Amino acid sequence: MTLLIGDTAPDFEAETTEGRIRFHTWAGRDWVIFFSHPADFTPVCTTELGYTAKLKDQFARRGAKALVISVDTLEHHHAWSGDIEETQGAAVNFPIIADPARKVATLYNMIHPSADPKVTVRAVYVIDPDKKIRASIIYPPSVGRNFDEVLRLLDALQLTDGHRVATPVNWRDGEDVIIAPSLQDPAEIARLFPQGYTAVKPYLRLTPQPGKA
């Protein structure tokens, strides 16, 4: 199946390194960064999972947590976790799903036969507390992901959920944002954006990020 932005993330049950979970129950009211890695005991994945472990506090500050999957077994996951801690300086602190039958990977369209029919691609799904897919990123197995970009994406999603703004190119937390073009009433604009704005064009109005001093 193809999962699109706005779709409900499918629920499932699976064995993980932290016990059996039902996804929607485990997710609770948190945001979830759900990503796949092609295989255990591989170099790129080792660096990715180590870096993700170091981001746990940053995810937590955003009300988010990580969930990882590959088509390897639970035994492999546990054994490989020791290598990750040894080489990356961080112990795995999130569940890794064992999916040797590829049921969850298929459910989330993580197997791309033309890329490699044996392993998952590097998929990332950002799932909100309502279990809606808010963003997805797909990389080939050979290319490591930028998890700083995942954090930036999460910040932008949460900001634009709470305010009538969009984020410009290369935006980072604390930088100016764009007032939504649909917002036209001057009184409402003044109320929502008391710091004012700069109209580069009538449709391109920059304002300081709401909620930042």
Side-chain angles (χ1 to χ4, degrees), residues 155-173:
D155 284 340
L157 288 169
Q158 293 181 343
L159 173 66
T160 56
D161 276 0
H163 301 277
R164 296 180 65 179
V165 298
T167 57
V169 62
N170 296 334
W171 174 87
R172 291 191 176 278
D173 185 40

Side-chain angles (χ1 to χ4, degrees), residues 102-132:
R102 306 181 189 181
K103 292 181 179 178
V104 179
T106 300
L107 186 64
Y108 275 80
N109 197 31
M110 292 168 166
I111 302 288
H112 292 196
S114 295
D116 192 325
K118 303 181 295 298
V119 300
T120 56
V121 293
R122 296 186 194 280
V124 182
Y125 288 102
V126 181
I127 300 167
D128 72 15
D130 294 323
K131 314 302 182 291
K132 298 294 184 182

Side-chain angles (χ1 to χ4, degrees), residues 198-211:
T198 300
V200 181
K201 290 288 184 180
Y203 57 85
L204 178 53
R205 299 166 296 176
L206 299 174
T207 189
Q209 179 179 328

Side-chain angles (χ1 to χ4, degrees), residues 38 44 122 139-144:
V44 176
R122 296 186 194 280
Y139 290 72
S142 60
V143 178

Side-chain angles (χ1 to χ4, degrees), residues 6-22:
D7 288 349
T8 298
D11 199 11
F12 58 84
E13 288 191 31
E15 297 294 340
T16 81
T17 51
E18 296 185 3
R20 189 168 184 82
I21 65 168
R22 176 174 286 278

Side-chain angles (χ1 to χ4, degrees), residues 13 23 27 35 39 52 78 83 95 156 164 168 200 212:
E13 288 191 31
F23 174 57
F35 66 95
T52 301
H78 281 300
D83 286 358
R164 296 180 65 179
V200 181
K212 291 290 184 179

